[in-house]
């Protein structure tokens, strides 16, 4: 289990979902050995309007989850993440194929006395770790949302109230100069200005460009902006490399 855990939001069956994931676990374990995906599903007793646990229930659910993970940690059953949505929490594990019985026993030991309804089930991957990479792992837009949250958290820690729109700088790279030029012309139509001194000439690539626009820097506003830029970058065979701005107290 790695130390690189992160959180993002998505929709599952048209319901908002919170997904917490060990982003690098697949780099640190033998995925051919730990190839069985298993889920312990807890049915929430006091979900809020979004299907997430209420503040009081959140602590109880977290305690159950921690106790369960600790109990199976020495049984070749590895926790890789969790999904919370629509009134339930799925705690996701990967294990040896024959270890489902051990997880069922652990769940019975930890959860039964709490009064929570639960079930344990397996996911049959068509290929090794398909569930992890195809369902749990964030796409490029969601990964950028995670990066947005990190920058916004840094702004808040510096005393920024996030209420004032301001110039936001964005960095992108392109494989070929003509594609960068086409991107520049297209993105101007979206209200962005180009930092002309960023248009470096490099025969070997990559070809950078810095653009900016005045925008709000709250989480939802920045997600909309970066979704746009990731899409444009992909269209012109480029890579969006993030954003930055000044702290405004």
């Amino acid at each position: 289990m790695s130390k690189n855990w992160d959180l993002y939001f998505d929709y599952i069956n048209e319901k908002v979902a919170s997904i917490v994931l060990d982003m690098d676990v697949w780099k640190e374990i033998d995925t051919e050995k730990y190839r069985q995906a298993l889920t312990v599903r807890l049915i929430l007793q006091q979900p809020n309007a979004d299907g997430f646990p209420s503040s009081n229930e959140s602590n109880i659910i977290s305690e159950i989850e921690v106790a369960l993970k600790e109990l199976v940690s020495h049984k070749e059953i590895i926790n890789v993440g969790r999904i919370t949505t629509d009134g339930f929490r799925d705690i996701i594990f990967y294990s040896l194929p024959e270890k489902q019985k051990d997880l069922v026993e652990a769940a019975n030991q930890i959860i039964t006395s709490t009064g929570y309804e639960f079930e344990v089930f397996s996911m049959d991957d068509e290929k090794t770790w398909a569930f992890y990479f195809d369902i749990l792992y964030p796409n490029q837009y969601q990964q950028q949302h995670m990066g947005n949250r990190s920058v916004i958290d840094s702004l808040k820690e510096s005393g920024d109230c996030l209420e004032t729109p301001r110039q936001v700088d964005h960095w992108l790279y392109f494989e070929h100069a003509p594609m960068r030029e086409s991107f520049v012309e297209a993105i101007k139509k979206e209200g962005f200005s180009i930092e002309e001194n960023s248009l470096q000439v490099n025969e070997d690539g990559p070809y950078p460009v810095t653009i900016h626009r005045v925008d709000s820097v709250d989480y939802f506003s920045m997600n909309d902006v970066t979704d746009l830029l990731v899409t444009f970058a992909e269209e012109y065979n480029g890579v969006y490399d993030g954003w930055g701005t000044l702290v405004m107290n």
Side-chain angles (χ1 to χ4, degrees), residues 148-197:
N148 294 346
R149 189 181 67 250
S150 178
V151 176
I152 291 168
D153 285 348
S154 293
L155 290 173
K156 290 193 291 186
E157 289 171 3
S158 298
D160 198 317
C161 65
L162 308 179
E163 293 180 355
T164 306
R166 81 288 302 267
Q167 177 176 314
V168 181
D169 299 322
H170 304 267
W171 305 286
L172 303 97
Y173 295 88
F174 295 85
E175 291 185 15
H176 307 288
M179 298 304 287
R180 179 178 66 177
E181 294 170 5
S182 296
F183 166 82
V184 164
E185 293 307 311
I187 209 64
K188 285 179 180 178
K189 298 176 182 178
E190 300 295 330
F192 287 90
S193 300
I194 313 301
E195 295 287 347
E196 296 297 334
N197 61 3

Side-chain angles (χ1 to χ4, degrees), residues 96-111:
L96 278 64
E98 67 272 14
K99 290 292 183 175
Q100 182 170 352
K101 180 181 178 181
D102 290 341
L103 183 58
V104 171
E105 291 176 351
N108 277 317
Q109 181 177 337
I110 296 296
I111 305 173

Side-chain angles (χ1 to χ4, degrees), residues 219-248:
Y219 184 69
F220 295 104
S221 296
M222 287 311 305
N223 284 351
D224 288 342
V225 173
T226 60
D227 283 355
L228 174 71
L229 293 176
V230 168
T231 298
F232 268 76
E234 186 176 42
E235 181 178 349
Y236 293 97
N237 295 327
V239 175
Y240 179 68
D241 196 38
W243 60 276
T245 191
L246 296 176
V247 174
M248 302 186 71

Side-chain angles (χ1 to χ4, degrees), residues 8 11 26 35 39 57 72 74 84 96 112 116 122 139 159 175-176 217 222 225 245 249:
Y8 71 98
Y11 283 89
W26 57 278
R35 64 181 186 272
T39 294
E57 187 175 25
V72 302
H74 302 296
T84 309
L96 278 64
T112 300
Y116 275 87
S122 63
N139 61 34
E175 291 185 15
H176 307 288
V217 294
M222 287 311 305
V225 173
T245 191
N249 295 318

